[in-house]
Amino acid sequence: MTAREEILARIQGALHVRASDPANGHGKIERTYTRTTSMNEHETIELFIDRLVDYDTEVIQVASDSEIAGAVAQSMTKAQETALLAPAGFPQEWLPTSIAITLDENLSHVTLDAEKTVITTCEAAVASTGTIFLVHGGTQGRRVITLLPDHHICIVRRSQVYSVLPEALAAVTANATKPITTISGPSATSDIEMVRIRGVHGPRSLTVILVS
Amino acid sequence: MSIRVGKAAKAPAFPIAAHKALENNQLRANVRRATTTIRNKRALRVEEMPDWESLRSAGAAIKQHTLAHLDHYLEEFVRNCERAGGKVHWARDADEANSIAINLIRTYTPKDSTAPVEVIKVKTMTSDEIQMNHALEREGIVPIETDLADMIVQLGKDEPSHIVVPALHKNRTEIRDIFRASMAQPELTDQPEDLTAAARKYLRERFLRTKIAVSGANFAIADTGSVCVVESEGNGRMCLTLPEVLITLVGIEKVIPSFGDLEVFLQTLPRSATGERMNPYNSLWTGVTPGDGPQHFHVILLDNGRTKLLEDEMERETLQCIRCAACLNACPVYRETGGHAYGSIYSGPIGAILSPQLQSLEHSRSLPYASTLCGACYEVCPVKINIPEVLIHLRGRVVREDQKTLKGKLGVENIAMQAAATIFRSERRYEASQRLARIGQLAFERKGLLTNLPGMAGGWTATRDLKPIPSHSFRDWWKSRNNTTWSPKSNMSQGGAN
Amino acid sequence: MHYNTGYHGEAVPLVRRFVELFRDAETVCVPSASCVAMMREHYELIARNEDDPRLLAEVQALLPRVFEFSELLTKKLKVTDVGAHFPHSVTYHPSCHSLRMLNIREEPLTLLRAVDGLNLIELPNREQCCGFGGTFAVKNMDVSTAMLAEKKACVIETKADVVTSLDNSCLMNIWGGLHRDGSSVRTVHIAEILNSVKGLAGGNA
Ligand code: SF4
């Protein structure tokens, strides 16, 4: 017997009393927790900002797409950064003209490791936890480009912000088999005496540009 | 079959190991501070969730449902994972899983390479369960732990003492000394910021140069074939993204039916584990994505005793565990001893039920008794495992097995329990035994106290006094009392029942 | 004790005996939360495991009439003030089984607050186990003692004269520890406090 056959046989032997069809049983699981809320957009955005700030995220609100480039420049100037990495095909008009731009055309890890700042869009966000969903590819970039640089600037549209996790998860389900990363604040550890330290291996700073 | 759970087979019994742990004041202070902090943070984050109980119930229901159809969901996961370019291997036990991993590492190592083969690892308790690092090292492969706490444990040649914060038994000075010794950084301070920065620098070059990674998984999703890793530091993302080859070790109980089920666990796990609304990073991937991340992806599905827990419904509950460690942080026993006393990499209440069961009660037999059954673990468990109930069930198995041996039959405890059962069955015998005990205790009474009893009861009086059985019992008083009817305001005044 | 230590077979006759004794009782009042918890949580299971439908039916018929002492007063008799007088400062230790298995939280505090002269002081970290745990106290004596030490420190911190609880087993443990240290804090079961009237303050030293 192969290991697969043997393990499956052990399982089948142990589960002698079988419930009916799995799909049916799964559908019947009681889900009385909050799956949608009646929060309006204003409340949702307020909550989102509160949560982002709580986990040390910089938030810049802009009224329209035309202000994105300015917000990017503002964040980078404050952080004293001068060069920006962006996914290939990233909209030119969102990138500040004053800053040197590198597009990720399958750059090597070593090259990417030298980059300080990266910009992407996102797929969805959760207000109650301050979480951003990246479904990788396109303007959300390959996984590695938001990992090696130290500062991640992420463009989030107000319409992409959901109040609770189940809503956001439903919004990304169609893309469930693409690589997905959820990001809630900068990387952190509490492994030493429970002191929260920001920035271990992932980006040490996260900026969200919230676009109306 | 070689079912192994860390070094549990060689571990001393819990009371003996606990005795040693209790003498280490530094360790106890570290454990107490850490568990108190997480437990308070958790309470805060749980309180703000009005639907917490619903989430717990749904989490338990999803897990129960999955386990009742485990073969179905495993096969669905395998189909979908392989369709997306992953390759799944099945391992009956620890040795089989280790040899699959070693073969894979060999396959992907260039034949002419002379440098030692390195693999980077992201937190996987399961790999500690099967002692993968030892197995790799025996083959000349160098495993590099990348989670900060795992790194502290590995560099300090220590063992993990907690399933989420494996180095919580070490304080900053102890960590600084370990880092100074192993990173050639004599100037390093004990500031957590500096220690963390040192780890970042030490690991960054290793992340960039290493071609093979080994990871664990928090969830394996059947309907998409995806795997999910929950983490905070970003070392997980590094291991899952940078190498060319990724080997993911998954216990068979980690499968969940559907991507949508994450809406429950991604809410309960972070709050229970670290007291955060959400941990910094969750990574989800499905097979291989051209141009993004490892181009060779292997999953090892591990049994190692798990299937033995399926048959009995109460034992099966154990497999619902999502390894959040909330039960460890809540446990008043763990709080005193820390994790090492359990002699198993799975410590605390979940360890006390999981470790003995995986090993058919051949090892870790004292663990079901390492609890007062206070129920704090059950109260916090996000998938509602009734740990006290499982503990009692396992004690039953231990007792029944012991009673089959002559040594067990003649054991002090068995005889005492049998005698007590006989006495409790009849009030005549109960009253007679009270009278007898009153006489018997005279020999040990000092100033109206029992201070130094022999035998099992000596465990009590070594550190506590015991009031002698009073000369009048409640039963005597009840029999002799006036027939006054009781009413709330005209309190009866015959004197308290002593 | 038997069941919780793993002597499941030995517990069966005790269940039978209990049913035999109390099957005709209108109400059964039990002055120990731990005992009530055992009955509610395990008696049915024990009867089921015995495959004895008659025992099961009797257990099921009896259990709704079994009350823990403070439950009986507050929930069934709807009494909160029993007219007791107890002029001492008292702290309350919620025993694990009363708290987590019977979910008794406010009832005893309500009863105690109504006692004339009683000064109720909150016990720090009160929901933590005192370390008794039945045979745990002897099988794992060292850990039990360490847990008790934490509980004792919390009790001392309150400066109360008396610790009370719904379980005598916890009180026996706490008293044993305090007394060994030479502390004069007394342990008194809640029933004794509620049974105290002017001129006759209950409880034993
Ligand atoms: S048993 Fe429950 S509380 Fe303990 S680690 Fe597992 S899921 Fe968490």
Side-chain angles (χ1 to χ4, degrees), chain B residues 42 163-164 269 272-273 317-318 320-329 347-351 353 376-387:
Chain B
R42 175 204 165 273
I163 58 184
V164 169
L269 180 55
S272 301
E317 268 187 49
T318 314
Q320 288 168 216
C321 177
I322 56 172
R323 306 280 190 274
C324 72
C327 58
L328 278 69
N329 303 326
S347 57
I350 182 61
I353 61 174
C377 48
Y378 181 31
E379 191 173 47
V380 296
C381 178
V383 286
K384 283 186 150 176
I385 302 174
N386 191 337
I387 296 177

Side-chain angles (χ1 to χ4, degrees), chain A residues 4 6 10 33 113, chain B residues 75 92 204 263 276 303:
Chain A
R4 173 179 164 275
E6 194 171 331
R10 286 178 194 166
Y33 52 87
D113 191 40
Chain B
E75 292 201 285
R92 280 165 275 223
R204 184 58 73 107
E263 70 183 23
E276 292 169 300
D303 181 352

